[in-house]
Amino acid sequence: ALPLSLIAGPCQIESRDHAFECAHALKEITSRLGIGFVFKSSYDKANRTSGSGTRGVGLAAAVQIFADIGAELQVPLLTDVHECQHCAIVGEVVDILQIPAFLCRQTDLLIAAAETGRVVNVKKGQFLAPWDMRNVIAKVTGAGNPNVMATERGASFGYNTLVSDFRSLPIMAGFGAPVIFDATHSVQQPGGQGTSSGGQREFVSVLARAAVAVGVAGLFIETHPDPDNAPSDGPNMIALRDFEALIRNLMRYDQVTKSAPSLA
Amino acid sequence: ALPLSLIAGPCQIESRDHAFECAHALKEITSRLGIGFVFKSSYDKANRTSGSGTRGVGLAAAVQIFADIGAELQVPLLTDVHECQHCAIVGEVVDILQIPAFLCRQTDLLIAAAETGRVVNVKKGQFLAPWDMRNVIAKVTGAGNPNVMATERGASFGYNTLVSDFRSLPIMAGFGAPVIFDATHSVQQPGGQGTSSGGQREFVSVLARAAVAVGVAGLFIETHPDPDNAPSDGPNMIALRDFEALIRNLMRYDQVTKSAPSLA
Amino acid sequence: ALPLSLIAGPCQIESRDHAFECAHALKEITSRLGIGFVFKSSYDKANRTSGSGTRGVGLAAAVQIFADIGAELQVPLLTDVHECQHCAIVGEVVDILQIPAFLCRQTDLLIAAAETGRVVNVKKGQFLAPWDMRNVIAKVTGAGNPNVMATERGASFGYNTLVSDFRSLPIMAGFGAPVIFDATHSVQQPGGQGTSSGGQREFVSVLARAAVAVGVAGLFIETHPDPDNAPSDGPNMIALRDFEALIRNLMRYDQVTKSAPSLA
Amino acid sequence: ALPLSLIAGPCQIESRDHAFECAHALKEITSRLGIGFVFKSSYDKANRTSGSGTRGVGLAAAVQIFADIGAELQVPLLTDVHECQHCAIVGEVVDILQIPAFLCRQTDLLIAAAETGRVVNVKKGQFLAPWDMRNVIAKVTGAGNPNVMATERGASFGYNTLVSDFRSLPIMAGFGAPVIFDATHSVQQPGGQGTSSGGQREFVSVLARAAVAVGVAGLFIETHPDPDNAPSDGPNMIALRDFEALIRNLMRYDQVTKSAPSLA
């Protein structure tokens, strides 16, 4: 298996400067570590807990920012799409289109993303069994696009709580798609702060270690220069200054996993 | 409180004749029973478990059928919307726009539905706590539309299983919206048949009795002349021939509930 | 089916006077209502959240109190047993031995209770599927005692939370045992107050109505003259002064259920 | 932190010869690997799914077998206790008394085990939040015994299914007790085979890797020369012939974890 790669970035594009600053810092760190890196950021938080939550810079502004980051920093890009008609537009500038967990069964969105020819990363719904991702993946491949990845980001466990079931990683890998573990959304507490989601940042490294030991193609980690003041997902993002040490530690587990004869 | 009303119909519009047949039969039954009735059917099953599942007649055909049913049978109509740009079109012909459970946090869809001026019925996501519907309802009312209803249709409980938490009914009623209990989707077993969802039809009347005793504004019940051969949701729909006896029984509980001094 | 019966009383025997006062008040109310009544109280809270919680008067004192209440008030009695060797002793004075939910799979305890010849009421574990009560019931009947009842008291739903799955009532009834719904423990929040369990008293009547509408042989309701100052289960017990109105309302639903042709 | 230790053995003592054979084989393997080893076996399966399940050799026979294994093989021993009065007897011959998950809140059993002066290993109930183990541990330490360990063995997740929440490991470690991960019961499917529990042996190594990467004092692994024909827990035990390779692999992760500066 290939070494671990990273999908990382701030939850949302807060501004051109902010996005560039994050992408630049992450490129520097990941280059130093010799680990694959895809820059992630959202142009629109389309399903905030509350209607009053900040949504981001929007599609038009984001397209230009993504194009410039890609050209200038030479890093691959990922963003999430919520509307079918956004897929083709976004597909012009990013390398991976991501399907949000709540939307993982929306057939038209999966097909529209697939038809861009870009890689499609589908987050498993909090309401979905791992084995049901087989049908989800087939919606993408059935549209003629074999480049589909599956991301674990937690399953509903009572109210306002997620649990990470690590059996899902080998189960989804069995469908032939590279499997990603989303270490920062998996510690979300959905709706847990009344009008926004809470999170347990302290468990990001715990769950990420577990995932890498089980074996994943990549990790998805949201990070921010100042998470406590971020407009969304602050409670579960990790601080940019903690990023390198976290990844350095995780790479040690990945070396063990990828060098071992598989036992799972 | 007002007596119980019904939202009922086949899961999807299978054909013009089929829709008319169901709507006509249900109108006859509900008139005989003296109970409010809204005809429900879907024009597109946009999130089937598998991409190979039948999706329905589509928007254009459905709009004409809805218009004709409304005009000819004089019954109010409900259908579910999955795309923002469908809302205005559908809003021309139906009285209630329904937001599917998976999409209950998609801000733009809620606003587009709200802006039609029609009643908006939001199904609570399987991943959502009852109290988090306060924010969902506020997205609709915040768009200037006070006519919003909330529907309980089960919460994720392990994999491929839902559980109905009846505490959600008074909790959601506390937000000022009429509360509906969806008795047929609450017995779904999502993805439970591999490439389609299973269901436990035998528990529809059990959970419906519980809901009516707790107290609801209405029930949502999918029904079909031949559920075992229906293209979707067959395992959880009830047979049209069993509909009248079921409702007659439920109305007896509703009379007790609505005549009692509230204890909840 | 027979009309609804009640198992009711304070969570624990706080003193001889307290137990007599509660039993007397409940006998008066239930006689007035014409509803069957079994007095319930515990002699030992053997599994408190914290070791510092009050445990009750103990076995020896309780046996005398139970004997006296039974003789003086002429009411049947129920208490819960946690140790095999208590069964024979307790069986001398009470009519129903109850197996606590955590202990519902302890074979020896089930057999020891069965061998008293008294009725055995088994609470379904928070960790147990309804259909697994078939094996539990068979442990009692296999010991030669056909008089076994099954009680629903909530299923684990994430942490510190229970959910009532009303499908369990007809499922357990299908095993031939009278089914009881425990309306006060079903609203417990186990461990929810750090060193004791919390509760949602406001949902007792909600869930009880649901249970009676679904159909049960009886309800289990803990009640207390002053729940907010009770040594255990205060947050979920209902006040004695609210008991009669609650039951009066529930009896109306029971009449509907028991007079209807079964639909479940 | 100290290197990983193992608690391992067959689910139940099937016979003197069988127990000796397993203990001997495991001692040989663990000596070769240079890893700490405690031999585990049960003398009584006191809470089988069904009353017809095999329960084991019983207390009297087991005490002699344990005494002989300890003397002859010079390995520390662990067994589980279900009755208070067994504790003192068992405490004569084993080094660690284990409290079964269903019984983790039974105050008297915890105290009786504590009073033997032996180490007490408490399995966290499937119904218990990790933070509620603080009170459980305090029941043991409050009885004057500081030697208490906490074991994660899965949490209820819908019916007949467990999920391993790896956040529980650092949470329980925060209470000062060595934390064990039970890799074979965590893949149980309680009651999943109708009259016995099912299991997913294929996930033992997956979850064990995750646990060791997160960081544990030890692993609990049931193993058997012929699991498919074992009288209990066969579906989740691993074959003795696969044991060494499994542990060898897990030790590589443990070295990473124990050599790293803690990040959790």
Side-chain angles (χ1 to χ4, degrees):
Chain A
L2 292 172
L4 189 68
S5 286
L6 296 179
I7 299 168
C11 180
Q12 61 174 257
I13 300 183
E14 299 178 21
S15 69
R16 180 184 186 84
D17 284 355
H18 186 265
F20 258 90
E21 176 198 338
C22 293
H24 188 268
L26 288 167
K27 188 189 172 179
E28 203 172 77
I29 293 168
T30 52
S31 298
R32 189 157 54 231
L33 293 172
I35 189 170
F37 166 54
V38 176
F39 179 68
K40 181 270 164 181
S41 205
S42 295
Y43 60 87
D44 182 16
K45 309 311 294 178
N47 55 22
R48 297 296 307 263
T49 299
S50 160
S52 61
T54 305
R55 290 186 53 166
V57 298
L59 178 59
V63 163
Q64 192 56 53
I65 295 170
F66 277 127
D68 294 349
I69 290 178
E72 197 166 317
L73 300 183
Q74 291 290 312
V75 292
L77 303 166
L78 173 149
T79 199
D80 49 329
V81 285
H82 294 77
E83 300 279 345
C84 296
Q85 64 271 31
H86 289 191
C87 291
I89 302 166
V90 165
E92 294 292 320
V93 291
V94 307
D95 304 86
I96 307 179
L97 276 72
Q98 182 169 285
I99 308 297
F102 292 157
L103 305 184
C104 73
R105 274 183 47 180
Q106 301 301 315
T107 307
D108 290 336
L109 184 63
L110 290 160
I111 291 174
E115 288 178 345
T116 63
R118 298 295 194 171
V119 176
V120 179
N121 179 33
V122 190
K123 292 207 173 174
K124 180 168 70 62
Q126 299 86 339
F127 47 82
L128 206 78
W131 42 87
D132 291 330
M133 281 295 280
R134 182 195 291 273
N135 292 311
V136 168
I137 290 169
K139 288 183 182 179
V140 177
T141 56
N145 187 337
N147 299 311
V148 55
M149 310 196 301
T151 296
E152 168 64 46
R153 50 94 75 236
S156 288
F157 183 62
Y159 294 134
N160 302 122
T161 310
L162 301 172
V163 69
S164 297
D165 180 359
F166 287 100
R167 291 172 297 191
S168 76
L169 304 180
I171 290 171
M172 295 196 296
F175 304 144
V179 172
I180 309 296
F181 180 70
D182 177 344
T184 45
H185 288 96
S186 293
V187 301
Q188 249 186 351
Q189 296 176 307
Q193 300 191 330
T195 55
S196 65
S197 289
Q200 300 176 302
R201 192 186 299 153
E202 67 274 24
F203 292 122
V204 169
S205 79
V206 170
L207 298 185
R209 286 205 300 278
V212 173
V214 171
V216 286
L219 288 172
F220 178 108
I221 297 179
E222 287 189 349
T223 181
H224 192 279
D226 184 12
D228 291 336
N229 292 301
S232 53
D233 274 354
N236 52 292
M237 281 197 284
I238 67 153
L240 202 42
R241 66 179 167 281
D242 297 328
F243 190 79
E244 182 165 355
L246 171 65
I247 303 305
R248 203 175 282 279
N249 185 45
L250 294 170
M251 289 173 74
R252 301 171 69 215
Y253 291 95
D254 189 58
Q255 284 153 15
V256 175
T257 301
K258 301 290 169 62
S259 69
S262 176
L263 284 165
Chain B
L2 292 171
L4 189 68
S5 286
L6 296 179
I7 299 168
C11 181
Q12 62 174 259
I13 300 183
E14 299 178 21
S15 70
R16 179 183 187 83
D17 285 354
H18 185 266
F20 259 90
E21 175 198 340
C22 293
H24 188 270
L26 288 166
K27 187 187 175 183
E28 202 172 78
I29 294 168
T30 52
S31 298
R32 189 156 55 230
L33 294 173
I35 189 170
F37 166 54
V38 176
F39 178 68
K40 181 270 163 182
S41 205
S42 295
Y43 60 88
D44 183 17
K45 309 310 296 177
N47 56 21
R48 296 297 304 264
T49 299
S50 159
S52 61
T54 305
R55 291 185 53 165
V57 298
L59 178 59
V63 163
Q64 192 57 53
I65 295 170
F66 278 127
D68 294 349
I69 291 178
E72 197 166 316
L73 301 183
Q74 292 291 313
V75 292
L77 303 166
L78 174 150
T79 199
D80 49 329
V81 286
H82 294 77
E83 302 277 345
C84 296
Q85 65 270 30
H86 289 189
C87 291
I89 303 167
V90 165
E92 294 291 320
V93 291
V94 307
D95 305 86
I96 307 179
L97 276 73
Q98 182 168 285
I99 308 297
F102 292 158
L103 305 184
C104 74
R105 274 184 46 181
Q106 302 300 316
T107 307
D108 290 336
L109 184 62
L110 289 160
I111 291 174
E115 287 178 346
T116 64
R118 297 295 193 171
V119 175
V120 179
N121 179 33
V122 190
K123 292 207 174 175
K124 180 168 68 63
Q126 298 87 338
F127 48 81
L128 205 78
W131 41 87
D132 291 331
M133 281 295 279
R134 181 195 291 272
N135 292 311
V136 168
I137 290 169
K139 289 183 182 179
V140 177
T141 56
N145 188 337
N147 299 311
V148 54
M149 310 195 300
T151 296
E152 168 65 47
R153 50 93 74 235
S156 288
F157 183 62
Y159 293 133
N160 301 122
T161 310
L162 301 172
V163 69
S164 297
D165 180 358
F166 288 101
R167 292 172 297 193
S168 75
L169 304 181
I171 290 171
M172 295 196 296
F175 305 144
V179 172
I180 309 295
F181 180 70
D182 177 345
T184 46
H185 289 95
S186 293
V187 302
Q188 250 187 351
Q189 295 177 310
Q193 300 190 329
T195 54
S196 65
S197 289
Q200 300 176 302
R201 192 185 300 152
E202 66 274 24
F203 292 123
V204 169
S205 80
V206 170
L207 298 185
R209 286 204 301 278
V212 172
V214 171
V216 286
L219 288 172
F220 178 109
I221 297 178
E222 288 188 348
T223 181
H224 191 277
D226 183 10
D228 291 337
N229 292 300
S232 53
D233 275 354
N236 52 291
M237 282 197 283
I238 66 152
L240 202 42
R241 67 180 167 279
D242 297 329
F243 190 79
E244 182 166 354
L246 171 64
I247 303 305
R248 202 176 283 279
N249 185 44
L250 294 170
M251 289 173 74
R252 300 169 71 216
Y253 291 95
D254 188 58
Q255 284 153 15
V256 174
T257 301
K258 302 288 169 64
S259 68
S262 176
L263 283 165
Chain C
L2 291 171
L4 189 67
S5 286
L6 296 179
I7 298 168
C11 181
Q12 61 175 258
I13 300 184
E14 299 178 22
S15 69
R16 180 184 186 84
D17 284 355
H18 186 267
F20 258 90
E21 175 197 339
C22 293
H24 189 270
L26 287 165
K27 187 188 174 182
E28 203 173 78
I29 294 168
T30 52
S31 297
R32 189 157 54 231
L33 294 173
I35 188 169
F37 165 55
V38 177
F39 178 68
K40 181 268 164 180
S41 205
S42 295
Y43 60 87
D44 183 16
K45 308 311 296 177
N47 55 22
R48 296 297 305 264
T49 299
S50 160
S52 61
T54 306
R55 290 186 54 166
V57 297
L59 179 59
V63 163
Q64 194 56 54
I65 296 170
F66 278 127
D68 294 350
I69 290 179
E72 197 166 315
L73 300 183
Q74 292 290 312
V75 293
L77 302 166
L78 174 150
T79 200
D80 48 329
V81 286
H82 294 77
E83 301 279 345
C84 295
Q85 65 271 30
H86 289 191
C87 291
I89 303 166
V90 165
E92 295 292 319
V93 291
V94 308
D95 305 85
I96 307 179
L97 277 72
Q98 182 168 286
I99 308 297
F102 292 157
L103 305 183
C104 73
R105 274 184 47 179
Q106 301 302 316
T107 307
D108 290 336
L109 184 63
L110 289 161
I111 292 174
E115 288 177 345
T116 64
R118 297 294 193 171
V119 175
V120 180
N121 179 32
V122 191
K123 292 207 173 175
K124 180 168 69 63
Q126 298 86 338
F127 48 82
L128 206 77
W131 41 87
D132 290 332
M133 282 294 280
R134 181 195 292 271
N135 292 312
V136 169
I137 290 169
K139 289 183 183 179
V140 177
T141 56
N145 188 337
N147 299 311
V148 54
M149 310 195 300
T151 296
E152 168 65 46
R153 51 92 75 238
S156 288
F157 183 62
Y159 293 133
N160 301 122
T161 309
L162 301 171
V163 69
S164 297
D165 180 358
F166 288 100
R167 291 172 297 192
S168 75
L169 304 180
I171 290 171
M172 295 196 297
F175 304 143
V179 172
I180 309 295
F181 180 70
D182 178 344
T184 46
H185 289 97
S186 294
V187 302
Q188 250 187 350
Q189 295 176 309
Q193 300 191 329
T195 54
S196 65
S197 289
Q200 300 175 303
R201 191 184 301 152
E202 68 273 24
F203 292 122
V204 169
S205 80
V206 171
L207 298 185
R209 286 205 300 279
V212 173
V214 171
V216 286
L219 288 172
F220 179 108
I221 296 178
E222 287 190 347
T223 180
H224 191 277
D226 183 12
D228 291 336
N229 292 300
S232 53
D233 274 355
N236 52 292
M237 281 197 284
I238 67 152
L240 202 42
R241 67 181 166 280
D242 297 329
F243 191 80
E244 182 166 354
L246 171 65
I247 304 305
R248 203 176 281 279
N249 186 44
L250 294 170
M251 290 173 74
R252 301 169 70 215
Y253 291 95
D254 190 57
Q255 284 153 16
V256 174
T257 301
K258 301 290 168 61
S259 69
S262 176
L263 283 164
Chain D
L2 292 171
L4 189 67
S5 286
L6 296 179
I7 298 167
C11 180
Q12 62 174 256
I13 300 183
E14 300 178 22
S15 69
R16 180 183 186 84
D17 285 355
H18 186 265
F20 259 90
E21 175 197 341
C22 293
H24 188 270
L26 288 167
K27 187 189 173 181
E28 202 172 78
I29 293 168
T30 52
S31 299
R32 188 158 54 230
L33 294 173
I35 188 170
F37 166 55
V38 176
F39 178 68
K40 180 271 163 180
S41 205
S42 295
Y43 59 88
D44 183 16
K45 309 310 295 176
N47 55 22
R48 296 298 304 264
T49 300
S50 160
S52 61
T54 306
R55 290 187 51 166
V57 298
L59 178 60
V63 162
Q64 193 56 54
I65 295 170
F66 277 127
D68 294 349
I69 290 178
E72 197 167 314
L73 300 183
Q74 291 291 311
V75 292
L77 303 166
L78 174 149
T79 199
D80 49 329
V81 285
H82 295 75
E83 301 278 345
C84 296
Q85 66 270 29
H86 289 191
C87 291
I89 303 166
V90 166
E92 294 293 319
V93 291
V94 307
D95 305 85
I96 306 178
L97 276 72
Q98 182 169 285
I99 308 297
F102 292 157
L103 305 184
C104 73
R105 275 184 46 180
Q106 301 301 316
T107 307
D108 290 336
L109 184 63
L110 290 160
I111 291 173
E115 288 177 346
T116 64
R118 298 294 193 171
V119 175
V120 179
N121 179 32
V122 190
K123 292 207 174 176
K124 180 169 69 63
Q126 298 87 340
F127 48 82
L128 207 77
W131 41 87
D132 290 331
M133 281 295 279
R134 181 195 292 271
N135 292 312
V136 169
I137 290 168
K139 289 183 183 180
V140 178
T141 56
N145 187 336
N147 299 311
V148 54
M149 310 195 300
T151 295
E152 168 64 46
R153 51 92 76 237
S156 288
F157 183 62
Y159 293 133
N160 301 123
T161 309
L162 301 172
V163 69
S164 296
D165 180 358
F166 288 100
R167 292 172 297 192
S168 75
L169 304 180
I171 290 171
M172 294 196 297
F175 304 143
V179 172
I180 309 295
F181 180 70
D182 177 344
T184 45
H185 289 96
S186 293
V187 302
Q188 250 186 351
Q189 295 177 308
Q193 301 191 328
T195 55
S196 65
S197 289
Q200 300 176 303
R201 192 185 300 152
E202 67 273 24
F203 292 122
V204 170
S205 80
V206 170
L207 298 186
R209 286 204 301 279
V212 173
V214 171
V216 285
L219 289 172
F220 178 108
I221 297 179
E222 287 189 348
T223 180
H224 192 277
D226 183 12
D228 291 336
N229 293 300
S232 53
D233 274 355
N236 51 292
M237 282 197 283
I238 67 153
L240 202 41
R241 67 180 166 280
D242 297 329
F243 190 80
E244 182 166 354
L246 171 65
I247 303 304
R248 203 176 282 281
N249 185 45
L250 294 171
M251 289 173 74
R252 302 170 69 216
Y253 290 95
D254 189 57
Q255 284 154 15
V256 175
T257 300
K258 301 290 168 62
S259 69
S262 176
L263 283 166

